[in-house]
Amino acid sequence: MKEDILKNAAELFLNLGFKSVTMDDIAQQMAISKKTIYAHFSTKTKLVKATVDYLIKEIDLGTTKLSSRNLNPIVETYEMKKYAMDMLKNEKSSPQFQLKKYYPEVYYPLREKQFEIVQRNVIKNLERGITSGHYKGDIPISFISRIYFVGMLGIKDKNLFPQEEYSNAKLMDYFLKYHLSSICTEKGLNTLDELLNSNKPANEN
């Protein structure tokens, strides 16, 4: 039951926002009593924290599995993006912004865990890309992995990138192209161009 609550809470929180979803909403979606939820999570804050922990664990497992496939490093970067956005429902409710504003005690430990996961995956991707000849051999790996993390957080700021002008998908595509273009060799740029062209909508060709 506890995991079912977390799965349903995650779906509602990501679709509607951490602030607006109530314990009643979760109970109604699951067709259970609110008392049942409180038997596992005594406060909404505890449920939010447990849900975030559940999501970050799932993302960690998923990205680790993706990394183990040893894909072309550029393809892997886009697959990681796609997986994370699918998991987070395209972040349409701005979950990280809501966590930072309404549940800072949950947000800041989450950011540390995110940093750990991103660092591990990006550093491995950069090292593989250098070995395969897709990335420049003299890039400062630690610096780039940290700049990547800062950039990922920065593009989620809706004051800087208003939703009506920049969709989450567009932001991620812009960011990844910017990131990869700065570190790719000619071989890597050719792969990037092929990947972008193969994913371009028909009406843009």
Side-chain angles (χ1 to χ4, degrees):
M1 176 58 73
K2 188 173 184 178
E3 185 167 347
D4 286 340
I5 293 171
L6 290 174
K7 288 179 179 179
N8 280 272
E11 181 179 354
L12 286 171
F13 286 145
L14 292 173
N15 281 314
L16 303 174
F18 286 97
K19 175 65 174 176
S20 59
V21 173
T22 66
M23 300 293 246
D24 283 315
D25 293 329
I26 300 167
Q28 183 176 358
Q29 167 149 316
M30 297 183 67
I32 61 175
S33 70
K34 189 164 60 171
K35 185 178 179 180
T36 302
I37 298 176
Y38 279 118
H40 295 280
F41 306 99
S42 58
T43 66
K44 182 182 174 184
T45 298
K46 288 182 179 179
L47 176 57
V48 167
K49 182 182 184 306
T51 303
V52 167
D53 289 343
Y54 163 78
L55 285 169
I56 201 71
K57 182 179 178 181
E58 290 294 305
I59 289 173
D60 193 8
L61 288 171
T63 54
T64 298
K65 185 176 179 180
L66 259 175
S67 182
S68 70
R69 292 169 58 190
N70 289 320
L71 298 170
N72 175 298
I74 295 172
V75 173
E76 180 185 85
T77 299
Y78 278 88
E79 288 297 313
M80 290 279 191
K81 181 264 294 190
K82 182 177 183 300
Y83 172 76
M85 293 190 74
D86 286 346
M87 278 292 297
L88 297 176
K89 311 295 184 186
N90 201 20
E91 299 190 274
K92 54 189 171 186
S93 67
S94 302
Q96 297 208 55
F97 171 80
Q98 291 205 5
L99 283 176
K100 185 176 182 180
K101 184 174 182 179
Y102 300 111
Y103 300 97
E105 69 274 33
V106 177
Y107 171 77
Y108 287 103
L110 166 66
R111 192 171 67 174
E112 291 180 11
K113 183 63 177 176
Q114 285 178 307
F115 178 70
E116 175 189 324
I117 294 170
V118 170
Q119 282 281 282
R120 183 173 69 246
N121 287 319
V122 173
I123 287 174
K124 185 176 180 181
N125 179 275
L126 292 172
E127 290 173 342
R128 285 181 50 242
I130 291 172
T131 301
S132 68
H134 290 89
Y135 300 153
K136 299 171 186 174
D138 59 349
I139 57 175
I141 289 177
S142 179
F143 172 77
I144 289 174
S145 67
R146 292 165 188 270
I147 284 292
Y148 183 90
F149 181 74
V150 171
M152 289 287 288
L153 290 182
I155 63 174
K156 299 180 192 304
D157 188 331
K158 295 306 177 187
N159 291 318
L160 291 175
F161 301 100
Q163 184 72 39
E164 58 272 17
E165 188 174 351
Y166 298 98
S167 68
N168 290 321
K170 181 188 290 186
L171 276 173
M172 281 301 302
D173 284 342
Y174 284 166
F175 177 72
L176 290 186
K177 186 176 180 181
Y178 176 83
H179 163 70
L180 290 168
S181 294
S182 68
I183 64 173
C184 278
T185 60
E186 184 176 352
K187 176 182 178 180
L189 289 173
N190 288 336
T191 301
L192 178 60
D193 286 342
E194 289 172 6
L195 181 64
L196 293 177
N197 286 331
S198 68
N199 290 327
K200 187 182 294 184
N203 60 1
E204 290 186 16
N205 288 325

